Amino acid sequence: MRQILSTFTFLLVTYLLSAQTDARTRFINEQFRIGEQLLLEEKYKPALKDFDKVLNKNPDHIASYRASGICYELSGQHAKALSSYFNVLSRDPYFS
């Protein structure tokens, strides 16, 4: 009986952690998609807010650094663009 209870507890905890991870991943994907759409619409400031939300949840989200760099570059903030691009390359030198 103790073994069954232990197995059930393990499965329950695994399920709950998985649900949290799935919600986090969905949030990140949705915010990134919104940011990309805003970038395409040349709404750089709101796009940057969405990319920042992604980076707050996942500081290694390379695509958000790249997209932020594009926003900064197209809005004339070249120093910030270079910083974002540096973050991309420091995390993955082969990212394209």
Side-chain angles (χ1 to χ4, degrees):
M1 182 65 151
R2 190 175 280 235
Q3 172 106 16
I4 292 172
L5 185 58
S6 184
T7 301
F8 174 76
T9 302
F10 172 76
L11 291 173
L12 179 61
V13 168
T14 302
Y15 170 77
L16 292 174
L17 289 175
S18 173
Q20 283 182 330
T21 300
D22 289 345
R24 181 176 175 267
T25 300
R26 280 193 305 274
F27 173 83
I28 288 170
N29 291 339
E30 181 65 14
Q31 288 305 132
F32 183 74
R33 188 195 64 72
I34 292 168
E36 279 187 313
Q37 184 60 43
L38 291 167
L39 171 58
L40 290 172
E41 295 171 7
E42 299 180 6
K43 298 177 181 175
Y44 305 125
K45 193 171 186 175
L48 285 165
K49 288 181 182 179
D50 285 303
F51 297 134
D52 284 344
K53 289 178 186 176
V54 172
L55 292 168
N56 284 332
K57 291 284 184 184
N58 180 1
D60 291 321
H61 196 267
I62 298 171
S64 287
Y65 284 113
R66 181 174 157 261
S68 293
I70 293 168
C71 285
Y72 287 128
E73 185 176 356
L74 293 174
S75 63
Q77 300 179 61
H78 301 292
K80 288 184 177 183
L82 286 174
S83 176
S84 291
Y85 295 144
F86 178 77
N87 277 312
V88 171
L89 294 175
S90 67
R91 285 167 172 74
D92 183 358
Y94 304 103
F95 185 81
S96 59

